[in-house]
Amino acid sequence: NAGVTQTPKFRVLKTGQSMTLLCAQDMNHEYMYWYRQDPGMGLRLIHYSVGEGTTAKGEVPDGYNVSRLKKQNFLLGLESAAPSQTSVYFCASIRSGTLLQETQYFGPGTRLLVL
Amino acid sequence: QQQVKQSPQSLIVQKGGISIINCAYENTAFDYFPWYQQFPGKGPALLIAIRPDVSEKKEGRFTISFNKSAKQFSLHIMDSQPGDSATYFCAASITGGGADGLTFGKGTHLIIQP
């Protein structure tokens, strides 16, 4: 049981390049999330999904797209990377998100540098 | 507009002391208030969470105090240990365990001096 895994761990992009970050969970969770973490800013929600085939915008969605074709995977895409997207990206998942006892599990993060 | 304000940004506490981190929120629709702990190079991990129908929740050395009328909540770490040195985030959500995603505070960097 690997929990939440993220690929890649670190990436350097040039401005204008595109890339896809992959999040995978093996806990059969319904809900998945992408956050970005910047120094002094906490974590901010980019997009999330409440089930296979669904996506919704979070607080800072501009410049990103997502897809949830399979329940266990949540992909975050950057079509044309900008230096402002330099950040650490965290994926998270939760089974149903409705119970106090539930835990939102976070992955180890992907560090992205856009030059 | 920052919906969850966290203070202080950094905190130094002696071993065995009490660490206190405070958060204030604006959205009265928030119904779930978790605290997360994050070590360098790792993702955040849930520490303790509370709903506004109780004023306090304790788990081991960690306690959340909640003041609904003041729209404030705080984390108390009793008998603080060097292993507690980490960044702590308060968060809030409108639904249960955070189904619609969490709104985070900016974090508190806690250092416990031996």
Side-chain angles (χ1 to χ4, degrees):
Chain A
N1 194 338
V4 180
T5 59
Q6 293 182 232
T7 308
K9 289 183 171 55
F10 176 69
R11 184 77 181 268
V12 178
L13 287 180
K14 294 181 180 179
T15 297
Q17 286 185 318
S18 64
M19 79 163 294
T20 300
L21 284 67
L22 171 64
C23 175
Q25 52 93 5
D26 60 1
M27 298 172 284
N28 200 34
H29 285 175
E30 288 293 333
Y31 295 71
M32 296 186 74
Y33 310 84
W34 277 106
Y35 293 88
R36 60 177 288 173
Q37 183 175 27
D38 302 293
M41 294 294 294
L43 287 88
R44 292 179 292 171
L45 181 65
I46 305 171
H47 286 281
Y48 65 102
S49 168
V50 301
E52 183 178 322
T54 74
T55 62
K57 294 181 180 179
E59 180 186 354
V60 289
D62 294 342
Y64 305 95
N65 57 75
V66 288
S67 64
R68 182 109 180 261
L69 299 180
K70 294 182 179 180
K71 186 177 183 178
Q72 64 268 32
N73 295 338
F74 195 29
L75 278 63
L76 177 71
L78 286 73
E79 290 187 348
S80 180
S84 61
Q85 294 178 304
T86 293
S87 187
V88 181
Y89 292 86
F90 287 100
C91 177
S93 72
I94 195 166
R95 185 174 62 84
S96 71
T98 58
L99 301 176
L100 182 63
Q101 298 89 337
E102 288 195 83
T103 298
Q104 195 167 100
Y105 292 90
F106 281 80
T110 293
R111 189 172 298 273
L112 177 64
L113 174 62
V114 182
L115 301 175
Chain B
Q1 180 184 6
Q2 185 188 1
Q3 295 199 57
V4 179
K5 294 184 179 181
Q6 183 172 347
S7 62
Q9 280 187 312
S10 61
L11 180 63
I12 299 174
V13 175
Q14 295 296 315
K15 178 182 175 182
I18 302 173
S19 303
I20 301 174
I21 304 171
N22 300 301
C23 283
Y25 63 97
E26 299 167 5
N27 188 347
T28 55
F30 285 144
D31 191 45
Y32 170 71
F33 302 88
W35 284 89
Y36 280 81
Q37 180 188 57
Q38 184 181 32
F39 294 104
K42 303 292 185 182
L46 180 68
L47 197 58
I48 187 172
I50 198 170
R51 271 211 165 114
D53 52 349
V54 297
S55 59
E56 185 175 282
K57 182 175 181 180
K58 184 176 180 179
E59 289 184 1
R61 296 185 293 109
F62 301 92
T63 300
I64 298 180
S65 297
F66 190 87
N67 185 330
K68 188 175 182 178
S69 61
K71 294 187 288 184
Q72 295 175 347
F73 59 111
S74 61
L75 176 70
H76 291 63
I77 305 175
M78 310 299 289
D79 187 27
S80 299
Q81 299 297 312
D84 296 330
S85 297
T87 299
Y88 292 81
F89 294 96
C90 61
S93 174
I94 293 174
T95 57
D100 59 332
L102 295 166
T103 299
F104 283 86
K106 292 186 176 183
T108 296
H109 185 212
L110 174 64
I111 297 173
I112 307 300
Q113 290 186 333

